[in-house]
Amino acid sequence: MFFSFLLTALLTVLPAPKALAAEPLVVARPRAAGPLEPCKIYGSVYLETNPSRRSYCFGTVYIEPEEAFADLLVFKEDNKLFADRAGLWAETPARDFADYVLFVTPDRARADFAIHYTTVRSFAGCKN
């Protein structure tokens, strides 16, 4: 208790430090300012299903059952080294090993884009 009293007295006596820079502080954003581009997502991907961790994810995805309505056709690669272009994803067992963490939503209206899994590697990619 005596040390806290001394610290409080010291803080009231000493002057406040002056600001070093007159420029405003720039805060870094975790996400890009523009829209999410699903055509640039490839490599190792972790699909998050826990809604409480949604804010830590790169984007929100909906798994479309029909190929015609999907924005991106995805082929699951077994090895991360072969997932080197859009639509080729190597799913990881843990979010720490992933290049991208995407939240899977059951509601299409809340998703940034929709994917459909394909069994043919050459069909993977954007549907533009």
Side-chain angles (χ1 to χ4, degrees), residues 28-91:
R29 291 185 178 179
R31 284 187 58 174
L36 179 66
E37 295 183 28
C39 296
K40 294 186 177 181
I41 297 176
Y42 63 90
S44 59
V45 177
Y46 179 74
L47 298 176
E48 181 68 60
T49 56
N50 188 353
S52 65
R53 294 186 182 170
R54 183 179 192 163
S55 62
Y56 299 112
C57 297
F58 182 73
T60 306
V61 66
Y62 174 72
I63 300 176
E64 182 68 49
E66 297 292 328
E67 179 181 343
F69 302 114
D71 299 320
L72 180 70
L73 294 177
V74 175
F75 180 76
K76 290 184 182 181
E77 286 285 350
D78 295 331
N79 192 342
K80 180 184 174 182
L81 298 175
F82 295 124
D84 57 353
R85 66 180 174 96
L88 300 178
W89 291 3
E91 291 189 9

Side-chain angles (χ1 to χ4, degrees), residues 5-15:
F5 173 76
L6 284 178
L7 181 63
T8 306
L10 184 64
L11 289 175
T12 57
V13 173
L14 293 177

Side-chain angles (χ1 to χ4, degrees), residues 84-116:
D84 57 353
R85 66 180 174 96
L88 300 178
W89 291 3
E91 291 189 9
T92 59
R95 63 183 293 131
D96 298 331
F97 302 122
D99 295 329
Y100 296 98
V101 178
L102 300 172
F103 177 72
V104 179
T105 181
D107 186 14
R108 180 165 170 65
R110 297 183 186 269
D112 295 327
F113 62 97
I115 64 169
H116 177 76

